[in-house]
Amino acid sequence: MSALGRLDYSIDSAKITSSTGEIKEFKDLISGVDIYESLLSPYIKAELTVVDSANLLESMPIIGQEKIELSIIEGSNIIKRTFYVGTVTNFIKANNQAAMYVLKLITPEQMMNSLLLVSQGFNGTLDSTIEKITKDYLRSKLKVKEKTIGNYGLVIPNWNPFQAIDWVAKRAMTSSKMPFAFY
């Protein structure tokens, strides 16, 4: 921890995988990392500011949905996260050999949420319904820690997974009869 009370982080590795399967390390091109997490959002967002003197955008066209694997060092911990490129914004071309831009990243769960719809009936507790949606539709290993009370039969009518989870979570009560929260 620094004297100002801020935590120090450094990028151990940043790899991008193109749609053709080509993998490139580009940690030396990253000048900034911003990661956003909120209890009001079911996913994490990240932004990488890239100062590209290696013509990464031209040598490996980045058009969205490329896989980004980040490894960040925080003290003695290594945090590894996988993201996908959502968009490329704020593109500034300095000259023929250098550019600066921001890669807006989304989580694998957010990627699956944009690709799939839930149209299915469920029976059982609402926490088991949420776990089934996260496993089957978001392909996530997220586990529900708080159990809900009651058994229900319900049908999700062609909604994206996050919309379905939100609808179910708003109707659930924990075993201590408190409103259920999924985050």
Side-chain angles (χ1 to χ4, degrees):
M1 189 171 308
S2 70
L4 297 176
R6 293 178 25 180
L7 295 175
D8 291 323
Y9 297 89
S10 62
I11 299 173
D12 180 48
S13 172
K15 294 179 183 172
I16 185 167
T17 304
S18 73
S19 58
T20 62
E22 180 183 4
I23 301 172
K24 285 191 179 179
E25 172 66 54
F26 72 110
K27 81 171 189 171
D28 294 335
L29 303 178
I30 298 172
S31 68
V33 177
D34 293 308
I35 298 176
Y36 306 96
E37 186 173 17
S38 169
L39 289 177
L40 303 176
S41 176
Y43 48 84
I44 297 171
K45 296 177 190 175
E47 293 180 357
L48 300 179
T49 302
V50 179
V51 178
D52 188 355
S53 58
N55 285 325
L56 185 64
L57 279 181
E58 292 178 22
S59 65
M60 176 187 279
I62 299 173
I63 57 173
Q65 300 184 5
E66 290 78 14
K67 184 178 181 180
I68 304 277
E69 295 174 286
L70 282 179
S71 179
I72 299 172
I73 299 172
E74 173 205 359
S76 61
N77 297 325
I78 296 179
I79 303 165
K80 295 184 178 192
R81 294 288 183 261
T82 300
F83 293 96
Y84 288 89
V85 175
T87 58
V88 179
T89 63
N90 301 341
F91 182 84
I92 301 169
K93 184 129 178 127
N95 56 42
N96 286 340
Q97 296 159 349
M100 187 169 135
Y101 48 89
V102 175
L103 297 177
K104 294 197 178 236
L105 308 179
I106 59 176
T107 62
E109 292 85 5
Q110 188 179 3
M111 174 72 85
M112 295 308 298
N113 184 65
S114 66
L115 298 174
L116 298 173
L117 294 173
V118 179
S119 184
Q120 177 181 340
F122 297 91
N123 288 306
T125 61
L126 297 179
D127 63 279
S128 67
T129 298
I130 291 171
E131 275 195 350
K132 186 155 182 57
I133 294 169
T134 55
K135 180 181 172 220
D136 295 351
Y137 291 91
L138 298 176
R139 298 185 184 142
S140 175
K141 295 177 182 174
L142 294 173
K143 295 288 182 195
V144 175
K145 295 188 186 224
E146 185 86 36
K147 298 300 179 188
T148 61
I149 56 173
N151 286 305
Y152 298 87
L154 53 97
V155 176
I156 304 294
N158 217 25
W159 291 339
N160 68 46
F162 286 145
Q163 183 182 12
I165 289 169
D166 185 54
W167 184 84
V168 172
K170 284 180 179 173
R171 284 146 182 80
M173 297 294 279
T174 67
S175 56
S176 58
K177 299 190 180 180
M178 298 296 292
F180 179 83
F182 180 79
Y183 54 93

